[in-house]
Amino acid sequence: MQSNASSKWLLILGSINMFLAVALGAFGAHALKASLPPDLMVVYHTGNQYHFYHALGLFAVAAAAAWFQPSRLFGLSGVFILAGIILFSGSLYVLSFTGQRWVGMITPFGGTAFMIGWLLLAAGVWKGR
């Protein structure tokens, strides 16, 4: 297994996002549960769930970046997954806090970023040695 700067940064970003996902999950379960209406609590939970999944995904990208021949595809994969966390989960967090439904128009861009990130990871692994 080789080490490179890309995998180091991806591990750092994955760790920070896991911290945030746990903190926001606990906040939602304890502080928001009593104050958010049930429909917005579901929105918050969905944002948090995808935040967790894709924070773990950053670890998968970091592992691939360390294991395979260095490729720009791994860095791009991490960028798109991070953008997905910000756009998808972030928009759902904001929607649940504010109740402003228009913010939900941002969410599909985050979902698209997630999908692109995963395809870039697959391409990097396919291309790698």
Side-chain angles (χ1 to χ4, degrees):
M1 195 179 276
Q2 57 185 322
S3 177
N4 62 47
S6 181
S7 60
K8 178 180 177 178
W9 279 107
L10 289 163
L11 287 170
I12 291 168
L13 289 171
S15 299
I16 290 168
N17 273 282
M18 284 301 293
F19 168 84
L20 290 171
V22 170
L24 290 166
F27 179 70
H30 300 290
L32 292 180
K33 196 168 190 168
S35 62
L36 279 185
D39 63 324
L40 291 180
M41 195 65 212
V42 169
V43 169
Y44 187 88
H45 177 73
T46 300
N48 190 245
Q49 190 174 24
Y50 276 78
H51 194 166
F52 267 109
Y53 296 154
H54 291 88
L56 290 171
L58 290 171
F59 289 124
V61 177
W67 187 263
F68 292 95
Q69 180 178 352
S71 169
R72 242 185 96 200
L73 294 171
F74 297 125
L76 286 172
S77 173
V79 166
F80 274 92
I81 290 174
L82 181 61
I85 291 170
I86 293 165
L87 295 172
F88 186 92
S89 296
S91 67
L92 293 181
Y93 290 142
V94 170
L95 188 152
S96 63
F97 287 136
T98 66
Q100 297 294 315
R101 301 281 179 188
W102 68 266
V103 177
M105 294 187 314
I106 297 168
T107 310
F109 293 103
T112 301
F114 284 148
M115 291 185 287
I116 293 169
W118 289 111
L119 286 175
L120 287 167
L121 175 59
V125 170
W126 179 267
K127 183 181 170 186
R129 290 181 255 184

